[in-house]
Amino acid sequence: MRWEYLFFLVSFYTFGQQQLEAKYIQEKITIDGVFNEAAWSAQIETTPFIQIKPEPGKPSKSLTSVQLLYDQDAIYFGFFCQDPQDSISKVLSLRDDYNPNCDIIGIFLDTYNDNQNGFYFGLTSRGVQLDAKIAANDYNDRLNLVWHSSVQIVENGWIAEIRIPYSALRFPQKDVQDWGVNFGRQIARNREESSWVKVNPDLENMLLESGDITNIKNISPPLRLALIPYVSAYADEVRKEDGSKSLLRSFNGGMDIKYGINEAFTLDLTLVPDFGQVVFDQQVLNLTPFEVQFNENRQFFTEGMELFNKAGIFYSRRIGIQAPNKVTQTMLKPDEYLENVPGSSQLYNASKISGRNSKGLGIGVFNAVNAEQIGTAVSTIDESRREVLISPLTNYNVVVFDQNLKNNSSVTFTNTNVWRSGSFYDANVSAVNFSLNSKDNNYNINGKGILSAQLDASNTLGHNLNFNIQKQRGALIGGLGYLEESDTYDPNDLGFNYNNNRRIFEASMAYREFQPKWEKLMKWSINASFSQTYLYDPSVFTSNMATLNFFTVTKKFNAFGGNGGATLKPTQDYFEPRTDGAVFTIPQFYFFNTWFSTNYQRKVAIDAGGSMNQYIGNPWKQYAYNFSPRLRLSDAIFLIYSFEKELQFNNLGYAIPFATPAMSYQGILFGQRNRNTTVQAIALDYIMTNRMSLSLRLRHYRSTLQYESFSLLQEDGSLSLLPDFNGLTSEGKSAYDINYNAFTIDLVYRWVFMPGSEINIVWKNSVFASNDAVSVAYWQDLSSTLQTNALNSFSFKLIYWLDAQQLRKDRSILPR
């Protein structure tokens, strides 16, 4: 054996810190799941990891060995996970699916050794990759790094061989590296999670409680330049003005570029991006005075966004999808409303620079340019229509400075800026937020200060202040918090805030046990909280609430819990009337809900729950229940069906007309109504190989609203009944009742034919319909909805990863 290339992992403690000493190799390593190179140790020593769950602090029931090698281009990990062959999980999963039915080995790398920022690389026993960027114990798994791995199942365990190129990491330029590291293992049949360095379950921070990789010498951050071109083709059904449909074909091409400016900072650029294959939003019938927040599903806006999201003032869907209402209404006349708002507009380009230097300073710069959006304005006088500009050519910019401090602490400055062409207003928001931990991380103080400015003739300024102090470790935890938002605070030009003009005082306390004395339980917790809210201006009481929550997991991995609470006095709602100075008094109410979830390791598992709200001295009440079986049909086929039902009886709220009523009243109109909402969804995954899958996402949402009576809102917040008002149009139909349906299908075939390169074939089907047929039975309504003009989209997309470093090495392609 060539002992100069041998690295046998040795772990030891120096002043209480567990360490791994790295050894350099020159031999080429073939990633095939077999330790047949001389560099790998001929003898493998297995050591027990320490359980995080189900029995914290005890040795894992299966032994694990780790070997580590490095050269000038990459770092290599070799794992031997001891287990009887017939007990190893054979389940296939989607990439980045932390499926409890999978056996997983994971690497947690802290390349700046700051205990806050790092990388996660995981591999299942079937060779499926998982990865994530870690920031302050938050895992962003929406990015897909390019690295290589292979798995082999052998007689008494399974082998994982992993090569992580330095181009996938960020680390300082210095002679000797000092990286933090921890390893984790999940054993599905035992529902066991364990780690190389002991991790306490009260905080469960794999970077904070980690060891060190030492003696990595004389490596340099490589050239990091990747070109990711794409080509795509679409055949989309579009609806004409006369209601008929036509087929629109399109061909697109563009490119993403990733360039390492230096060892710490990376430029990401997307040119002529194509987001046409993004899954549908989960649309709902929104009767509140507030905007609905949807998830971001566009890949460029989900990967590498940790810095930009830290202050909570950046909502990327403002770019090209969800312009603020104030902007879309700018060009409307007083007697006009918008008939439709386009789902998205063309994003010309977007770029971001992000990274962190050796002093712990993270810097992020984001910029995007979006095309104008055109909508249709309808006159309330004669129903005439005209095209109207609802969002102009716009430039979006974000700048972030985030400084790491001792004890897993940090302070961050963030600025967002929006420039709009023409007569539209501009906007600017600046935020400073901090998080300070005690030396043992038992206590935390965090806070935030934000200044918003809408730049027009009036230059409106607003502010947000937030301060919290908490005990976050141990059996007994709790905290106090205060939030203040002025009535002019508005970050929504590039952020998202449901409502402003509020002051909130809150307190909470919880007790939890991770090793209960009762042998049937694995862990449990109970939490009590109280909050009280006021308007900022005028400073008047609005609401309060006391709640009690509990949660437990049994030794058989069945979980159940619930919560209950009540308001201690009537709520004064200044937002529901949608008129400045008006208030609606909501009666006191109490609520409770309960849920249970059976062991996901079983082939059939069930999630279910129910809830009830009852308003005191009022017929207003609400019930809800849900049921979701999870079926593992085979090791490659997984099905989840979910059913949700919510029933509201005698609900009181602002009456929104969906047509023009024949009668009208001066004043603020409220209604007593019944609402019935049903949601059904199917998620079906067929994983053919560890790189090929077929996924179906089907969802039907139906919500009916039927009014029983109408009232006028009085100055004291009470309602005065209008017995003669029926809410009918001149045609005798209800102007206020609505039956809303949203039916969507996303069917995606994905083949990752090489790391970073893939083919996606997608079929999308959608129906969004509304009418006043509120009395039609559910299944009859679903049948008629499916016969409504559904729109179909078929698309093909090829993405190819070109790595400049790899091309340089291949002399036949690009000579040195």
Side-chain angles (χ1 to χ4, degrees), residues 584-619:
F584 168 53
T585 301
I586 300 175
Q588 284 181 255
F589 67 92
Y590 60 88
F591 70 92
F592 67 86
N593 70 65
T594 185
W595 58 268
F596 70 88
S597 177
T598 64
N599 188 351
Y600 283 3
Q601 178 60 24
R602 297 172 182 165
K603 290 190 174 182
V604 178
I606 296 174
D607 295 325
S611 66
M612 185 197 81
N613 289 36
Q614 178 66 60
Y615 291 76
I616 300 173
N618 193 284

Side-chain angles (χ1 to χ4, degrees), residues 572 574 581-586 712-720:
Q572 305 301 313
Y574 288 84
V583 61
F584 168 53
T585 301
I586 300 175
L712 282 180
L713 181 65
Q714 305 300 297
E715 288 187 4
D716 63 357
S718 64
L719 298 176
S720 176

Side-chain angles (χ1 to χ4, degrees), residues 33 62-63 79-88 90 103 125 151-160 185:
S62 297
L63 300 178
F79 296 93
F80 177 72
C81 302
Q82 190 180 79
D83 245 352
Q85 189 179 72
D86 59 358
S87 299
I88 299 170
K90 308 300 190 300
D103 287 349
S125 55
V151 164
Q152 293 286 342
I153 295 178
V154 294
E155 182 178 355
N156 56 345
W158 57 284
I159 294 171
R185 184 176 173 188

Side-chain angles (χ1 to χ4, degrees), residues 350-531:
S351 60
K352 55 180 181 271
I353 297 173
S354 61
R356 190 174 299 273
N357 64 23
S358 58
K359 303 295 185 181
L361 177 63
I363 301 175
V365 179
F366 174 92
N367 187 266
V369 178
N370 204 82
E372 65 179 25
Q373 279 184 297
I374 303 295
T376 302
V378 181
S379 170
T380 58
I381 299 174
D382 57 9
E383 296 190 352
S384 60
R385 287 165 168 75
R386 69 183 180 96
E387 286 191 345
V388 61
L389 180 65
I390 61 174
S391 181
L393 177 71
T394 307
N395 181 277
Y396 301 90
N397 187 264
V398 185
V399 177
V400 183
F401 297 94
D402 176 55
Q403 180 62 57
N404 288 342
L405 304 174
K406 291 193 303 182
N407 305 324
N408 201 28
S409 303
S410 66
V411 60
T412 309
F413 170 79
T414 305
N415 176 266
T416 68
N417 198 78
V418 179
W419 287 297
R420 298 184 176 95
S421 64
S423 59
F424 289 75
Y425 72 92
D426 300 325
N428 188 282
V429 179
S430 294
V432 175
N433 57 294
F434 66 91
S435 179
L436 304 176
N437 292 299
S438 61
K439 187 175 181 179
D440 54 10
N441 274 256
N442 281 349
Y443 298 93
N444 172 268
I445 298 174
N446 65 81
K448 184 187 302 183
I450 306 174
L451 179 67
S452 69
Q454 293 190 339
L455 307 175
D456 50 19
S458 59
N459 289 335
T460 305
L461 300 179
H463 74 267
N464 167 299
L465 296 174
N466 190 347
F467 182 80
N468 303 279
I469 182 170
Q470 58 189 348
K471 182 179 183 294
Q472 60 186 2
R473 301 194 70 169
L476 183 65
I477 60 174
L480 299 171
Y482 173 71
L483 170 69
E484 174 181 300
E485 291 180 343
S486 68
D487 56 323
T488 53
Y489 174 67
D490 189 353
N492 284 347
D493 291 278
L494 194 48
F496 189 95
N497 191 47
Y498 283 102
N499 64 286
N500 56 13
N501 195 15
R502 54 182 175 165
R503 292 187 295 124
I504 303 174
F505 300 86
E506 54 188 359
S508 65
M509 181 172 289
Y511 182 79
R512 52 193 184 167
E513 285 191 350
F514 300 98
Q515 293 177 294
K517 294 180 180 179
W518 191 23
E519 60 182 13
K520 293 183 179 295
L521 296 185
M522 187 173 74
K523 62 180 178 180
W524 68 273
S525 68
I526 187 168
N527 172 277
S529 64
F530 176 79
S531 65

